[in-house]
Amino acid sequence: MFNSYVDIKREYENIRNNNLLKYDDRKSKIYDENPTLKDMDLKIVDLELNIGIAKLSKSPTDNLEKELDEVKKQRLVYIKEHGMKDDYLQVPYNCEKCKDTGRINDQKCSCFVQKEIELFDNISHFKNYIKDDNFDNLDKSFYRQPDVKIGNIPYEKYMEQVVENIKLGIKYMDEKPYSVIFIGGTGTGKTFLSRCAGAEALKLNKSVLYVNVNEYLNTLKPDYDGEPLLQHAVSCDLFILDDLGTEKTSDFTNSAINYIVDKRLNDKKSTIITTNLQMGDIEERYLGPTYSRLDHLYIKCFLLGEDLRGVKDVNI
């Protein structure tokens, strides 16, 4: 079970080391059974080295290259006659796409994302939440409140559009980072919708870290560069910060929240925040830059109406 990125890096190192051992064992066995093949491979290495040296000294390489081509042809014939494949000495990889490095052109490989998903679920147990909290379990009648309107739009219609926008925001989060703050009173469905969004992201093989702000900040230590949980918050594909405003206010907690918000915006990563606070309360409570970014760079989604918790036993 992964507890930090150090564990993931160590896992990749172990995979590469184990596969190199397998490669060495395979090569030794093949060469023991095929000494002629070993001689040809050593000859090819020797010729390629001599060609390189000759080119550096600007000496003729025609004869060497002709000899190299001949040995390679002989090797192919030998391989075919003995029912072997041309990649008989290729290092085995668990993931052919990234060659067990976890990266492809400085981007995370899908195998690395899977390890991230395991890491973040080990921290937040998010998969346990979304067994119930997902769009398949959303009953739109929860939002059927005739006396509640957003402008002139009935609340139910408004929420239908909100749900559709969440799905689209997650679907296209690679093209355009999805940053949204759900604002509303207790029991209006903020946490439920944030978890639904996370469930959609997992379907797309995205890494998701879900945390309750109060529990999360209590575990942090004031070391931005060395604090694993803080680094997880800024590195995952989708970060969900639930119940902003319930934490004990301090310079450190405000600074940590500002760091996460700022870093994820700069890195073009998607973030979902839920809060009972109104924007005026956020302005009074948090650092100026935090409020400014949430006010101007986040989609603001207002959830109204009655406390819906317990309706049909669905916690929203």
Side-chain angles (χ1 to χ4, degrees):
M1 186 68 70
F2 301 120
N3 294 306
S4 71
Y5 275 110
V6 173
D7 295 330
I8 294 179
K9 291 178 180 177
R10 187 180 296 116
E11 172 74 4
Y12 276 105
E13 289 175 2
N14 290 337
I15 289 172
R16 290 194 295 271
N17 289 336
N18 288 335
N19 284 337
L20 283 174
L21 288 174
K22 292 178 183 178
Y23 165 78
D24 288 338
D25 289 343
R26 182 183 180 190
K27 181 172 70 172
S28 296
K29 183 178 179 180
I30 289 174
Y31 280 165
D32 286 344
E33 296 173 352
N34 301 273
T36 300
L37 184 61
K38 179 180 179 180
D39 291 340
M40 286 190 287
D41 281 343
L42 291 175
K43 183 65 174 178
I44 288 171
V45 172
D46 185 54
L47 286 168
E48 288 177 340
L49 179 61
N50 288 334
I51 289 171
I53 293 173
K55 286 182 176 180
L56 287 175
S57 63
K58 298 183 179 180
S59 301
T61 61
D62 292 349
N63 291 336
L64 290 172
E65 289 178 350
K66 183 178 179 180
E67 185 178 359
L68 176 62
D69 288 340
E70 184 60 32
V71 176
K72 285 184 175 181
K73 288 177 183 178
Q74 292 173 4
R75 185 181 67 166
L76 287 175
V77 172
Y78 185 94
I79 290 171
K80 186 176 181 180
E81 289 178 346
H82 289 76
M84 303 169 66
K85 295 183 179 179
D86 191 31
D87 61 353
Y88 62 95
L89 284 182
Q90 181 175 313
V91 177
Y93 297 112
N94 287 22
C95 179
E96 290 289 342
K97 291 183 290 185
C98 69
K99 311 301 183 189
D100 295 334
T101 64
R103 312 290 294 186
I104 302 175
N105 297 327
D106 203 35
Q107 299 294 319
K108 291 183 290 188
C109 181
S110 58
C111 68
F112 187 92
V113 174
Q114 283 299 321
K115 296 181 189 301
E116 269 192 326
I117 289 172
E118 181 181 341
L119 165 64
F120 297 139
D121 192 57
N122 187 38
I123 295 170
S124 65
H125 307 291
F126 184 61
K127 289 182 180 178
N128 289 336
Y129 294 120
I130 62 174
K131 291 176 182 177
D132 295 318
D133 293 356
N134 56 71
F135 283 129
D136 290 338
N137 289 335
L138 174 61
D139 186 343
K140 294 180 182 179
S141 66
F142 294 153
Y143 304 120
R144 194 170 296 148
Q145 302 182 52
D147 295 333
V148 181
K149 291 186 177 182
I150 303 292
N152 295 321
I153 304 174
Y155 189 58
E156 182 180 9
K157 293 293 183 183
Y158 167 78
M159 289 307 300
E160 285 180 4
Q161 188 60 57
V162 166
V163 169
E164 184 62 25
N165 287 343
I166 293 172
K167 292 179 178 178
L168 290 173
I170 296 299
K171 181 178 180 179
Y172 296 107
M173 59 187 287
D174 283 345
E175 288 79 10
K176 182 179 180 181
Y178 183 59
S179 300
V180 61
I181 180 168
F182 295 123
I183 301 170
T186 301
T188 52
K190 305 181 300 295
T191 295
F192 178 80
L193 287 177
S194 72
R195 291 174 179 173
C196 288
E200 293 296 298
L202 282 180
K203 289 180 184 178
L204 298 175
N205 199 35
K206 303 299 180 184
S207 57
V208 178
L209 179 58
Y210 167 88
V211 297
N212 175 278
V213 66
N214 199 31
E215 297 172 358
Y216 176 68
L217 291 178
N218 284 339
T219 65
L220 292 182
K221 300 174 183 178
D223 181 2
Y224 288 171
D225 293 329
E227 169 54 60
L229 281 176
L230 200 55
Q231 292 308 309
H232 298 341
V234 298
S235 62
C236 58
D237 294 326
L238 175 63
F239 181 61
I240 302 175
L241 187 64
D242 195 23
D243 268 347
L244 180 70
T246 60
E247 76 283 357
K248 185 180 294 186
T249 302
S250 70
D251 289 342
F252 169 68
T253 57
N254 285 356
S255 180
I257 290 169
N258 182 68
Y259 172 77
I260 292 169
V261 170
D262 183 56
K263 177 68 172 170
R264 292 190 64 82
L265 284 171
N266 287 338
D267 291 348
K268 295 181 171 54
K269 290 181 174 290
S270 298
T271 309
I272 296 175
I273 296 174
T274 77
T275 183
N276 293 341
L277 301 177
Q278 297 300 311
M279 293 306 297
D281 301 321
I282 293 174
E283 184 176 17
E284 291 182 7
R285 185 178 178 112
Y286 297 101
L287 299 173
T290 302
Y291 166 75
S292 178
R293 291 179 178 94
L294 295 179
D295 188 37
H296 296 102
L297 300 177
Y298 272 59
I299 300 168
K300 293 187 284 292
C301 178
F302 297 94
L303 279 70
L304 308 176
E306 302 172 358
D307 187 333
L308 300 174
R309 291 182 301 181
V311 177
K312 296 187 179 181
D313 295 324
V314 176
N315 175 25
I316 67 172

